[in-house]
Amino acid sequence: MNINILVVEDDTRIQDMVCKFLRKEGWIVDACANGDDALSLFYDKTYQLIILDIMLPGTNGQELLKELRKIRDTPVLMMTALSDDDNQLRAFNNLADDYVMKPFSMQILVKRAEALLRRSGALKKEIQAGKLVLFPETYGAQYEGKKIILTPKEFEILELFVRNAGKVINHETLLTRIWGYDFEGNEGIIHASMKKLRDKLPCGVIRTIKGVGYCLEVESDD
């Protein structure tokens, strides 16, 4: 099943960044900047998750959430710069499923989105690429049914490759997705981490694209 997500955020910089990170997960993302457009999209399409800002022009996020709840129980993740308890309590009283404060880590936002999708049944509890199977809830991994012991960071790297199987993941994407966009280190940490990860996998599963990055080779499990 395709995962369709609606992002409602009027700050174009934040909207673009959130959409970029969600699309890297392989999810289909629509975006708009106000409540009226969000309602139109919500009536026209089926979404598995809505990420909703509170401070919006026109119909604000709290009012929009109340309207959404009249017709569907789609998981809603609220995001806002408002830190007072009243706004958070109001969001939960309006049946928001989760709440994230700005500024937030994009990695944390993605993980919270994954949690809501799993809870609703939209996201499978395991993901697979060829003979490689990952279990995100337990950070477990198997290749041809044999268990692979990974550190949390190694699992996050491998999960990125599995979700983008057959695609080249460049160095910049690895640094941004795994270590964060504000990471001040260099690509040396990528090479060291990739070496440790590849030592735990059969030869050739992750291929080096010289000067660019890496690619997970997808093999048939026949």
Side-chain angles (χ1 to χ4, degrees):
M1 179 178 74
N2 288 331
I3 301 296
N4 294 278
I5 298 177
L6 175 61
V7 175
V8 188
E9 167 61 68
D10 63 321
D11 186 318
T12 56
R13 184 184 64 84
I14 295 175
Q15 182 191 106
D16 289 346
M17 190 175 296
V18 169
C19 290
K20 178 182 177 181
F21 271 74
L22 296 175
R23 286 171 181 143
K24 284 180 179 178
E25 296 297 317
W27 300 332
I28 300 169
V29 184
D30 292 334
C32 61
N34 62 73
D36 293 337
D37 287 347
L39 275 175
S40 296
L41 284 168
F42 195 68
Y43 278 111
D44 288 342
K45 296 182 65 173
T46 298
Y47 293 99
Q48 282 70 52
L49 175 66
I50 296 176
I51 297 178
L52 177 61
D53 186 31
I54 288 182
M55 300 294 288
L56 294 170
T59 304
N60 66 41
Q62 299 282 16
E63 295 302 316
L64 178 58
L65 177 58
K66 288 197 291 187
E67 290 300 313
L68 295 179
R69 283 293 175 255
K70 291 178 183 178
I71 51 177
R72 290 184 190 164
D73 59 357
T74 304
V76 174
L77 172 59
M78 304 292 284
M79 56 182 183
T80 183
L82 300 174
S83 59
D84 59 287
D85 289 348
D86 287 345
N87 267 286
Q88 295 184 48
L89 289 171
R90 186 180 176 195
F92 287 122
N93 287 336
N94 290 332
L95 303 182
D97 296 275
D98 201 356
Y99 195 105
V100 64
M101 295 293 304
K102 298 177 183 176
F104 49 79
S105 158
M106 289 296 165
Q107 286 84 0
I108 294 298
L109 181 72
V110 169
K111 289 300 180 184
R112 289 193 174 191
E114 287 178 350
L116 290 177
L117 290 167
R118 281 197 303 272
R119 193 183 309 162
S120 68
L123 195 64
K124 292 182 179 180
K125 292 187 177 181
E126 67 272 350
I127 55 175
Q128 182 170 0
K131 301 175 182 179
L132 186 60
V133 183
L134 301 185
F135 306 90
E137 289 187 342
T138 61
Y139 276 49
Q142 293 180 356
Y143 188 87
E144 292 185 326
K146 296 179 181 179
K147 189 175 182 179
I148 305 169
I149 305 298
L150 301 171
T151 67
K153 188 66 70 179
E154 288 167 349
F155 182 90
E156 291 174 8
I157 295 171
L158 191 54
E159 183 181 9
L160 177 61
F161 280 104
V162 169
R163 292 190 184 278
N164 295 274
K167 300 177 182 178
V168 177
I169 306 296
N170 61 35
H171 298 147
E172 181 182 0
T173 297
L174 273 168
L175 278 174
T176 301
R177 290 295 310 280
I178 305 302
W179 284 275
Y181 61 88
D182 56 350
F183 178 69
E184 297 181 356
N186 55 43
E187 293 183 4
I189 194 170
I190 294 178
H191 302 313
S193 298
M194 289 302 299
K195 183 181 186 306
K196 291 178 181 178
L197 175 60
R198 294 168 80 180
D199 285 345
K200 297 181 179 182
L201 298 170
C203 182
V205 172
I206 297 181
R207 181 165 56 94
T208 299
I209 310 299
K210 191 173 182 180
V212 180
Y214 304 88
C215 178
L216 176 68
E217 296 291 340
V218 182
E219 296 182 26
S220 170
D221 56 3
D222 295 336

